[in-house]
């Protein structure tokens, strides 16, 4: 099943348009308690897809071995965005969601640290995202698709942070 057909199936099962969820609670929910009902006789609570994206993004970043999130172009644009005055890091970068009335599907793009077992990391990310979204949003997570977009190599930091300057300092000058 392709990602798109999986998203469509999730949307059809949920019976709503992508990007929103409807929910309601019978009593106040405090941190650490179980999830409340989404739709009750007392009313509905709407959870926008951006909320689910942020929860999923934060949950994925909590797992050791996740270096960054997003595709190459997305990471580049995010880096530029963060440098603008008044702009903050987009915690939903690299996360796409389909949200229905009671269910959600999550797609995550990430960059892993070299040496980390990718299958183990993907499972850990998947479990943490499911746990966090179900707990905080009260939605059943029907799937979490993890795409590993790149691997961060240990020597990439040195090259990007002035590796060329270090080499020039240790070489003899060519002209005297």
């Amino acid at each position: 099943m392709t990602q798109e057909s999986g998203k469509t199936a999730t949307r059809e099962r949920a019976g709503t348009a992508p990007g929103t969820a409807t929910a309601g609670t019978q009593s106040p929910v405090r941190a650490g308690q179980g999830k409340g009902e989404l739709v009750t006789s007392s009313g509905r609570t709407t959870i926008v897809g951006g909320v689910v994206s942020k929860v999923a993004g934060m949950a994925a970043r909590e797992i050791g071995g996740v270096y960054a999130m997003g595709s190459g172009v997305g990471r580049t644009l995010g880096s530029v965005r963060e440098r603008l005055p008044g702009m903050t890091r987009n915690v939903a970068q690299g996360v796409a969601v389909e949200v229905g009335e009671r269910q959600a599907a999550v797609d995550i793009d990430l960059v892993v640290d070299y040496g980390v077992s990718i299958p183990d990391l993907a499972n850990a990310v998947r479990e943490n995202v499911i746990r966090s979204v179900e707990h905080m949003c009260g939605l059943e997570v029907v799937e979490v698709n993890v795409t590993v977009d790149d691997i961060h190599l240990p020597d990439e930091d040195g090259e990007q942070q002035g590796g060329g300057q270090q080499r020039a300092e240790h070489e003899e000058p060519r002209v005297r």
Side-chain angles (χ1 to χ4, degrees):
M1 180 186 303
T2 66
Q3 282 184 345
E4 190 58 38
S5 65
K7 291 177 185 177
T8 303
T10 301
R11 192 175 324 131
E12 289 170 356
R13 283 191 301 268
T16 61
T20 61
T22 306
T25 60
Q26 295 177 1
S27 62
V29 178
R30 294 181 194 94
Q33 290 184 339
K35 62 183 179 180
E37 286 298 314
L38 299 175
V39 179
T40 69
S41 60
S42 301
R44 299 173 183 256
T45 301
T46 301
I47 302 173
V48 178
V51 172
V52 178
S53 295
K54 286 183 178 183
V55 170
M58 292 298 295
R61 285 177 173 80
E62 290 175 352
I63 304 301
V66 173
Y67 178 76
M69 293 186 56
S71 64
V73 174
R75 288 192 318 271
T76 302
L77 292 175
S79 176
V80 170
R81 180 182 179 270
E82 288 176 18
R83 293 184 181 138
L84 297 174
M87 300 303 276
T88 60
R89 184 176 90 172
N90 180 6
V91 296
Q93 179 177 321
V95 180
V97 299
E98 291 284 331
V99 182
E101 190 171 304
R102 292 184 173 92
Q103 296 178 329
V106 181
D107 298 319
I108 297 178
D109 276 337
L110 50 86
V111 178
V112 301
D113 286 322
Y114 177 79
V116 174
S117 168
I118 294 173
D120 291 344
L121 177 70
N123 285 331
V125 166
R126 188 173 289 113
E127 289 173 8
N128 203 40
V129 167
I130 290 170
R131 183 175 30 258
S132 295
V133 170
E134 288 184 350
H135 173 74
M136 291 186 69
C137 301
L139 297 167
E140 175 191 5
V141 179
V142 295
E143 65 183 15
V144 176
N145 299 310
V146 177
T147 302
V148 176
D149 189 57
D150 200 358
I151 295 178
H152 174 256
L153 302 174
D155 61 337
E156 287 178 342
D157 288 331
E159 290 175 10
Q160 293 174 355
Q161 296 177 359
Q165 289 176 341
Q166 291 173 354
R167 186 177 66 240
E169 291 172 5
H170 297 293
E171 292 177 356
E172 290 292 320
R174 292 175 50 187
V175 180
R176 292 183 192 234

